[in-house]
Amino acid sequence: MMTTTTTTLEICVVSAEGLKQQSSSYFSCIRPFITLTKLPAHMVYHHYDEGGTGEQVFRVPVDPTFFSDTYSRLHLQLYNKRRFAGLTQLGSCLIPPSDIALQPYHSVRYLSYRLRAKDGSRTHLTVNLSIRLHGSPDLDTCQPVIGIPVTAVRKFRNAHSSSGSTSSK
């Protein structure tokens, strides 16, 4: 009987730097709202922190194709929720699977991303994240690979080019 285990990606927002510079007056207090979208599936995960002091943790289920698909990304967006004006996007960033895939399961990796504005320009906002993979690797997707090791090709090429490269006229 084959059992499948799901891998869960736990992303914790440790801190956000540069938020104090966003509020210029007494009436524009920062009330951060973060969304995380798993692309290309467009699965959206929301988290709203009223006071800005709580821990923001996202638990995103991922399958093995997330790490092998070239179009896979996590899209993190930071919003400010204003009382009368609604949501205003402060910045966003794309997290590629290559930043996540090579870490051992259940270990923590700390990453920092500078956010970009809607027009693609850099902002002064930086989001610090901790990322952890829960579950176990799906061993059913592992397949043997047949090939020639790179060092064997280099040795063969060096031995072949030095042995018979002289010619006489």
Side-chain angles (χ1 to χ4, degrees), residues 135-147:
S136 62
D138 189 8
L139 298 178
D140 294 334
T141 61
C142 297
Q143 299 174 358
V145 178
I146 299 172

Side-chain angles (χ1 to χ4, degrees), residues 47-58:
H47 192 279
Y48 175 64
D49 186 18
E50 183 70 37
T53 58
E55 188 176 83
Q56 300 178 0
V57 178
F58 297 92

